[in-house]
Amino acid sequence: MFSIDTHFRFKKRIGALYAVAALVLLAMASTDAAAHPRHAHAEESHDVEWTELSADEAKEFDTLKARVEEAPHDADASLALARFAATQARRLDDTNLLRFAQTVLNNFNDTETAPIEALLIRANVKQIDHRFGEALDDLGVVLQRQPGNPQALLSRAFIQATTGEAGAAAQDCAMLTPAVSVYVRETCAARARSISGSSDYPLRRLDAMLTLIEPRSAAERAFALSVAGEIAARTGADDVAERYLRELLDDDPRAVYPRAALAEFLIDRGRYAHARAVIGDAHTEALLLMRILAASGDDDSGANRAAE
C-alpha cells in the first residue's frame, strides 16, 4: 500500500485554492503608471513550448509577449503578461508558466515603488509556493500604500485562516466594502467562520448564494464552489461536498485544481475506482500524485471497481 505525508498530499490543492482567492479580484487593482519595469523580461523562456495551453490560450500568451517585446518599459503590458502566466499556471499546474510569471515580476524588484498589481500577483505566486510570510510582507506593503485594497484583504484573509488566525481573517473579510461582490464577501466570511466555529451556518449561506444569486464572473463562482466544497468535506457533508466539487470541475474541465480536489476527496473515502475515472490520463504533477494514491486502492471493493 502506497503512503505519503499528508501535508505534501494537500500542498498543491491548498496552493491552488489560494490562487483562486488571489486572482478573483485582481482586475480591481490599480497600476502605478510612474513605475517602469526593467528591460529584463523572460527572453530565456521565449522558445519554451507551453504544452498545457489550448490553441486560443497560446495565441493570447503570444500576443501578450509580443506587446512586452515591442514596449519593454510598458508596465501595463508586463503586468498583463505576468497576470496571464500566473493565472494559467494555477489552472494547469504548470511550473514553467509559474517560473515565467516570477521572471516577469522580477522586473519590478523595488517593493516600495512597484505597481500595486505587481505586488498582488507576486503575493499570489508566493502563496502557491507556500511562502506565506513573504506573501504577507507584499500584501502588507499594498495595504500601507493603499489601505482597504480589496484584493490584498482577501488574499491576506485566506493566508491567515489557513495558518490558524481565524479572528484576523474574519476582520479582513469584514473590511471588504459593499463595492466588492457579495460572492467575494460571503465566501471570504464563510471560510473564516467555518474555521473559527460551526460550519453549518456559513455552508448554508454559501449554498443559498450559489442557488439564488448570479455571480459577476466565472472566477467568483469557482471561488465560492471551491470554498463550499472544502467546508462541506471538512464537516462530513460528503454528498454536498461532492456536488460542489463536480460542479467546479464541470465549469472548467481543463483546470487541475477541481480534478485533483475531487480525486483526493474520493480517495480519502476509499472510492479509488471513482478517483481513477476522474483523473483519467491527466499527467500534471498534482494529478500524477493523485494517480499513485488511487492505485493504492486496487484491493477496493467490487462495487468500486465496477465504477471504472
Side-chain angles (χ1 to χ4, degrees):
M1 179 73 71
F2 182 86
S3 63
I4 191 165
D5 180 79
T6 300
H7 176 73
F8 180 67
R9 285 179 58 189
F10 280 90
K11 180 175 180 181
K12 281 285 182 179
R13 175 178 169 185
I14 294 174
L17 178 60
Y18 289 143
V20 173
L23 295 178
V24 70
L25 288 176
L26 203 51
M28 298 178 65
S30 61
T31 299
D32 181 357
H36 300 288
R38 294 182 295 108
H39 184 24
H41 290 287
E43 281 108 356
E44 69 273 17
S45 299
H46 183 78
D47 296 325
V48 172
E49 182 178 355
W50 311 102
T51 56
E52 300 297 333
L53 293 176
S54 69
D56 287 344
E57 290 161 353
K59 182 178 180 180
E60 181 177 357
F61 186 48
D62 288 342
T63 299
L64 291 170
K65 283 200 300 178
R67 281 183 57 200
V68 171
E69 289 164 1
E70 292 169 3
H73 299 295
D74 184 337
D76 288 341
S78 294
L79 290 172
L81 178 60
R83 182 172 62 249
F84 178 89
T87 301
Q88 297 303 327
R90 186 272 304 170
R91 282 187 64 244
L92 303 173
D93 187 35
D94 191 317
T95 54
N96 284 333
L97 280 169
L98 190 65
R99 293 191 192 100
F100 186 93
Q102 290 173 321
T103 301
V104 175
L105 290 169
N106 285 341
N107 298 321
F108 302 99
N109 60 353
D110 187 340
T111 298
E112 297 305 318
T113 61
I116 292 292
E117 187 174 358
L119 296 174
L120 291 170
I121 300 172
R122 191 167 73 185
N124 166 43
V125 170
K126 290 173 180 177
Q127 287 174 8
I128 296 173
D129 204 29
H130 273 210
R131 291 149 59 194
F132 297 150
E134 294 178 36
L136 287 172
D137 288 343
D138 282 340
L139 296 171
V141 172
V142 171
L143 290 168
Q144 285 179 351
R145 288 170 50 184
Q146 196 176 88
N149 179 283
Q151 184 62 72
L153 290 171
L154 178 64
S155 297
R156 190 170 69 176
F158 262 65
I159 295 177
Q160 290 168 333
T162 302
T163 56
E165 300 175 78
Q171 289 179 359
D172 276 350
C173 292
M175 290 176 64
L176 294 171
T177 69
V180 176
S181 162
V182 66
Y183 258 73
V184 174
R185 287 184 281 119
E186 284 291 333
T187 304
C188 185
R191 189 166 189 260
R193 290 192 196 105
S194 73
I195 291 171
S196 62
S198 171
S199 297
D200 292 341
Y201 176 68
L203 188 57
R204 287 199 305 271
R205 286 184 67 92
L206 281 181
D207 187 68
M209 180 184 73
L210 285 161
T211 302
L212 300 173
I213 302 176
E214 191 72 23
R216 292 180 181 175
S217 67
E220 286 188 356
R221 174 174 160 82
F223 179 36
L225 285 171
S226 62
V227 170
E230 175 201 7
I231 295 172
R234 181 163 14 97
T235 58
D238 287 359
D239 290 346
V240 176
E242 183 171 353
R243 172 166 59 86
Y244 287 137
L245 292 174
R246 289 193 181 276
E247 286 184 28
L248 188 62
L249 179 58
D250 288 344
D251 285 352
D252 190 359
R254 291 183 57 246
V256 170
Y257 164 70
R259 192 171 299 278
L262 178 57
E264 183 178 65
F265 170 85
L266 295 168
I267 290 167
D268 287 346
R269 284 145 185 83
R271 297 169 58 188
Y272 301 104
H274 292 87
R276 289 193 289 271
V278 167
I279 296 165
D281 60 357
H283 57 276
T284 69
E285 180 183 342
L287 289 171
L288 285 173
L289 174 59
M290 290 298 107
R291 184 179 295 165
I292 292 171
L293 292 168
S296 70
D298 282 338
D299 59 347
D300 58 2
S301 69
N304 274 338
R305 284 195 295 273
E308 292 189 306

